[in-house]
Amino acid sequence: MEHKHIYDEEGNQLCCTAQEGKIFKDAGAKKLLNNDSCCSTENNKSETHSDDDGHDHNDGEKNTFQMFLPAIVSLVILLIGIVLDNFFPQEWFKGWVRIVWYAVAYLPVGLPVLKEAYESIAKGDVFSEFFLMGIATIGAFAIGEYPEGVAVMLFYSVGEVFQTLAVSRAKNNIKALLDQRPDEVTILEGNQSKTIPAKQAKIGDIVQLKSGEKLALDGELVSESASFNTAALTGESKPDTKNKGESVLAGMINLQTIAQVKVTTAYEDSKLSKILELVQNATAQKAPTELFIRKFARIYTPIVVGLAILICLLPYLFVENYVFRDWLYRALVFLVISCPCALVISIPLGYFGGIGAASKNGILFKGSNFLDIIANIKNVVMDKTGTMTEGVFKVQEVTLKSEFNKDEILKMVNALESKSTHPVATAIHQYVGEIDHSIQLENTEEIAGHGLKASINGKDLLVGNFKLMDKFNIKYDLDPKQIVYTIIAIAYDGKFAGYITIADSIKADAQLSIDKLKALGVKTTMLSGDKSTVVQFVADQLGITNAFGDLLPEDKVNKVKEIKSHNETVAFVGDGVNDAPVVALSDVGIAMGGLGSDATIETADVVIQDDKPSKIPMAINIGKQTRKIVWQNIFLAFAVKAIVLVLGAGGLATMWEAVFADVGVALLAILNAVRIQRMKF
């Protein structure tokens, strides 16, 4: 099929370079390169099957020894040739015998590169890295520099193997972290258990999970309780105890007795499947630095070839004692140095490392571009409930008028709140206890933004905020603004009966996260629809700079617009669903509660899986470290190449210096790129 490049709206080429595509293919990581790339199997019909489609073919992958074998053979033959040339000269090792000897040394490492060069040219990509190395080494043979021609190709091939291993490691780190779905499950049919492929399990099936076994599908716990290791989803190995009726997710490991789980989601729709797909697709969203380097490599390489031709031929017009062989050698050295390997491999590898390091800590980036953006964030705007607080409300105080029977009123309130799914209703139910089903509710109505209304024994019961009391002209003798906690007002038979105060506890690591954000020079703002006094109280405890309560979604949008009007970058942290307009407006949308909502995973740019606010500064720090490593590699590659290019053009550098400028710098850049996976954040 004819090769077609893919470009973004701004004209940036999204295709991989020829060498990048080969390395990622050899590493079994084509999916990590770019699912929509012109180098993908979709556009290369000669590849009928991908080794990176979610399962492994161990028998089809080369081991490390097999990858190095051609280089080892080539090195042995080359060393023998150098010894016969310089240390133990032999009469027979001359003429065509010597040429054939070095040609044999060249073939194991040179033939695959020449083949790739031919295939790249056939696809329309003439100025590939393979083409540069091919003409440089063939040129070296043409002028009789056989050992140097073999050595350049040998070290180039060794460098390519190291690059392949580095990419393979990055790919395996991500897959080992997330692709932990068992292939089979044990389901119960009557009193009999049978093992079936996980993909065949249906919604409603009861899965039996032994101690130490991993859950393959999302479901609901049928057993009374069970303890799970959630490391595959959150990065935390701390046991999480679930009770009957609670959700359990694919990837969780049962830690104790046999547990039974009712399947609620199809295999391909499980949270773990979505997370795995998210991370594998993350690298399709390219960072501007990556796009620039790819575009640069496409322009830079043909320019370098043109300069090499000029270095070879132009001196004929100006140099008195022009020797073609000498200037051709300089041109070939120039070509070897110019190969942009260090840039086109180490930079995407740096971003893969950043995405892998974040995933290891329970933070999912939807693209390497968000690693770049989050590194520049100046403002973090956060929701309160479920972000900085637990989102689990508890009744603090019940204050009722003396003329009302406390137990009767609470039972009626509990019965009415059972019609709501709001966290407040859960808090009241936990405080009061079982619902009294003898209470007959009539004309039950939920009034948006106010509360609930129903008729009991012919009398109206109102439960909600004080706006509800005002709406029905209920007189009360207190100032709600003087009470810090969230207030649930109650009225019965047209009279104010009293109120219940409810509070949400601050997360254990919330204070640490605010302190770390301040240390990074990031400003903090809290926006919430909750009562202003509650929001200000939480903000004061945590040391958050600005806090605003009683906000509607459009109010939050206006507050974020106000911050952005000062030309400052904003990250919004919330649930990613109710706050969708603010997430869309912010530079980076960060979702807390990746385990709670599919919509959260789909709408946010970054997902924090374990709800810990301390992961917010960690995500920013990972972005900063990734950017730092990428730019270190860019400066290293350009600086060394620029120096050796000048020396090569002036005849002061040999092929050996050229090899260091190409392969040596590439290896140094790769070692620097993989460093991020070992960092502690």
Side-chain angles (χ1 to χ4, degrees):
M1 181 176 177
E2 185 184 353
H3 178 83
K4 292 182 181 178
H5 294 312
I6 294 175
Y7 300 88
D8 66 10
E9 293 176 357
E10 297 178 357
N12 293 318
Q13 188 173 317
L14 302 179
C15 302
C16 59
T17 66
Q19 189 202 27
E20 195 180 355
K22 178 180 182 294
I23 285 169
F24 278 74
K25 178 186 170 186
D26 290 347
K30 284 294 291 247
K31 235 178 192 177
L32 286 180
L33 183 64
N34 188 338
N35 284 343
D36 300 318
S37 143
C38 60
C39 306
S40 68
T41 54
E42 197 174 315
N43 288 301
N44 186 355
K45 299 300 181 185
S46 63
E47 285 182 45
T48 56
H49 185 70
S50 168
D51 285 332
D52 195 38
D53 57 2
H55 55 280
D56 293 323
H57 301 282
N58 291 326
D59 57 336
E61 293 180 4
K62 293 180 181 179
N63 60 36
T64 305
F65 176 74
Q66 285 176 311
M67 292 172 76
F68 277 108
L69 184 59
I72 292 169
V73 172
S74 181
L75 177 63
V76 170
I77 299 171
L78 173 64
L79 290 176
I80 293 171
I82 291 172
V83 168
L84 292 174
D85 265 342
N86 300 289
F87 300 101
F88 301 102
Q90 301 292 319
E91 280 299 318
W92 58 269
F93 194 66
K94 290 179 181 178
W96 67 268
V97 175
R98 184 168 178 268
I99 296 171
V100 170
W101 185 276
Y102 283 115
V104 170
Y106 180 86
L107 289 176
V109 289
L111 206 55
V113 174
L114 295 177
K115 181 186 172 190
E116 293 287 347
Y118 171 76
E119 289 177 355
S120 295
I121 292 168
K123 290 176 183 177
D125 184 12
V126 176
F127 296 106
S128 66
E129 299 85 347
F130 307 115
F131 174 74
L132 288 184
M133 300 311 293
I135 61 173
T137 52
I138 290 171
F141 265 78
I143 60 175
E145 298 291 347
Y146 313 125
E148 290 189 14
V150 176
V152 167
M153 192 60 84
L154 170 62
F155 288 119
Y156 175 77
S157 299
V158 169
E160 207 176 58
V161 172
F162 276 113
Q163 291 166 34
T164 302
L165 291 173
V167 170
S168 180
R169 182 181 174 187
K171 169 244 185 183
N172 289 334
N173 280 350
I174 291 173
K175 286 183 72 68
L177 178 73
L178 293 173
D179 196 10
Q180 304 192 41
R181 298 161 296 184
D183 293 326
E184 297 180 331
V185 290
T186 302
I187 63 167
L188 296 177
E189 290 184 350
N191 294 323
Q192 299 294 318
S193 64
K194 70 172 185 176
T195 301
I196 63 168
K199 288 184 178 180
Q200 292 180 15
K202 300 185 294 292
I203 293 172
D205 283 348
I206 302 296
V207 174
Q208 183 168 281
L209 208 60
K210 298 174 185 174
S211 177
E213 199 171 358
K214 198 174 294 179
L215 187 60
L217 305 100
D218 293 352
E220 179 184 299
L221 189 64
V222 176
S223 305
E224 287 302 317
S225 68
S227 191
F228 293 91
N229 178 330
T230 63
L233 292 162
T234 65
E236 296 287 333
S237 57
K238 182 181 176 182
D240 185 6
T241 301
K242 300 286 185 182
N243 296 314
K244 186 175 181 177
E246 287 192 284
S247 295
V248 286
L249 304 172
M252 291 184 174
I253 302 171
N254 183 24
L255 294 176
Q256 295 175 347
T257 56
I258 292 175
Q260 293 180 357
V261 176
K262 183 169 75 173
V263 176
T264 57
T265 310
Y267 180 83
E268 60 273 12
D269 295 328
S270 72
K271 200 78 63 183
L272 189 60
S273 295
K274 287 178 180 292
I275 290 168
L276 176 61
E277 184 181 357
L278 180 100
V279 175
Q280 285 188 322
N281 291 341
T283 50
Q285 296 273 10
K286 299 297 176 190
T289 314
E290 273 186 279
L291 291 173
F292 168 74
I293 291 299
R294 286 184 173 183
K295 194 173 181 181
F296 171 82
R298 297 283 174 183
I299 298 167
Y300 159 87
T301 308
I303 289 173
V304 164
V305 172
L307 289 174
I309 294 169
L310 290 177
I311 288 170
C312 179
L313 302 177
L314 198 60
Y316 177 77
L317 303 175
F318 303 100
V319 177
E320 191 173 334
N321 298 314
Y322 175 80
V323 179
F324 175 76
R325 183 186 179 284
D326 292 345
W327 287 100
L328 177 59
Y329 182 78
R330 292 185 190 187
L332 297 175
V333 169
F334 189 83
L335 281 179
V336 173
I337 299 163
S338 68
C339 191
C341 309
L343 294 171
V344 299
I345 293 299
S346 66
I347 289 170
L349 191 59
Y351 285 111
F352 296 147
I355 290 170
S359 301
K360 194 174 181 179
N361 286 284
I363 305 167
L364 303 180
F365 280 86
K366 282 196 174 178
S368 52
N369 54 327
F370 295 116
L371 280 166
D372 265 4
I373 297 168
I374 206 168
N376 294 314
I377 288 297
K378 298 299 179 188
N379 292 272
V380 169
V381 178
M382 62 202 77
D383 190 21
K384 178 183 73 69
T385 307
T387 300
M388 304 310 286
T389 64
E390 295 288 353
V392 179
F393 290 91
K394 290 184 180 178
V395 172
Q396 304 296 311
E397 182 185 6
V398 178
T399 304
L400 294 174
K401 300 282 187 180
S402 57
E403 62 262 35
F404 293 94
N405 183 305
K406 182 177 178 181
D407 289 341
E408 284 185 10
I409 291 292
L410 287 176
K411 283 181 180 179
M412 288 191 290
V413 169
N414 193 29
L416 180 55
E417 288 287 354
S418 69
K419 306 300 179 183
S420 171
T421 57
H422 196 279
V424 166
T426 306
I428 290 172
H429 175 64
Q430 287 179 343
Y431 180 80
V432 178
E434 291 298 317
I435 297 164
D436 187 346
H437 294 287
S438 66
I439 297 172
Q440 298 295 314
L441 298 172
E442 297 177 351
N443 303 319
T444 303
E445 180 185 358
E446 183 169 355
I447 303 168
H450 292 74
L452 297 165
K453 174 181 177 289
S455 180
I456 300 175
N457 301 324
K459 299 173 183 178
D460 285 343
L461 174 68
L462 302 172
V463 181
N465 54 32
F466 279 89
K467 292 178 188 174
L468 184 67
M469 301 295 109
D470 295 336
K471 183 178 177 68
F472 287 91
N473 299 313
I474 305 294
K475 304 296 181 185
Y476 47 89
D477 54 358
L478 62 95
D479 182 3
K481 293 180 181 177
Q482 298 301 313
I483 300 172
V484 172
Y485 298 129
T486 301
I487 311 173
I488 308 301
I490 306 165
Y492 185 59
D493 194 20
K495 297 176 185 176
F496 181 66
Y499 61 88
I500 300 171
T501 59
I502 290 178
D504 186 9
S505 57
I506 294 172
K507 289 184 178 178
D509 63 337
Q511 183 67 65
L512 176 66
S513 66
I514 298 301
D515 292 343
K516 285 187 173 181
L517 285 170
K518 286 182 177 178
L520 289 167
V522 177
K523 295 177 223 170
T524 53
T525 302
M526 182 181 284
L527 304 179
S528 178
D530 206 348
K531 187 178 167 187
S532 290
T533 51
V534 176
V535 176
Q536 194 59 55
F537 176 72
V538 173
D540 289 343
Q541 282 192 297
L542 296 175
I544 293 173
T545 312
N546 302 302
F548 304 93
D550 293 314
L551 299 178
L552 297 171
E554 55 265 33
D555 297 326
K556 292 182 180 180
V557 168
N558 291 331
K559 289 290 182 186
V560 172
K561 279 183 178 177
E562 188 181 325
I563 295 170
K564 285 178 72 73
S565 68
H566 301 297
N567 294 320
E568 293 192 352
T569 49
V570 177
F572 180 81
V573 191
D575 60 16
V577 183
N578 299 330
D579 295 311
V582 200
V583 170
L585 180 64
S586 60
D587 296 288
V588 179
I590 304 175
M592 303 291 285
L595 300 185
S597 168
D598 287 342
T600 302
I601 292 177
E602 289 165 12
T603 58
D605 305 316
V606 180
V607 179
I608 294 174
Q609 293 172 261
D610 57 7
D611 293 345
K612 288 191 173 182
S614 58
K615 297 295 176 70
I616 302 166
M618 184 184 288
I620 294 172
N621 196 22
I622 289 171
K624 286 181 180 292
Q625 293 299 327
T626 303
R627 184 181 62 179
K628 183 178 174 183
I629 281 173
V630 164
W631 280 103
Q632 282 174 351
N633 284 347
I634 289 172
F635 285 125
L636 173 69
F638 274 119
V640 175
K641 281 184 181 290
I643 292 167
V644 185
L645 276 171
V646 172
L647 294 174
L652 300 174
T654 67
M655 284 278 189
W656 302 104
E657 283 85 358
V659 167
F660 171 75
D662 176 41
V663 179
V665 173
L667 292 178
L668 288 174
I670 288 160
L671 291 172
N672 192 37
V674 299
R675 204 164 47 89
I676 195 168
Q677 296 177 51
R678 297 180 178 274
M679 288 182 179
K680 300 291 182 186
F681 298 99

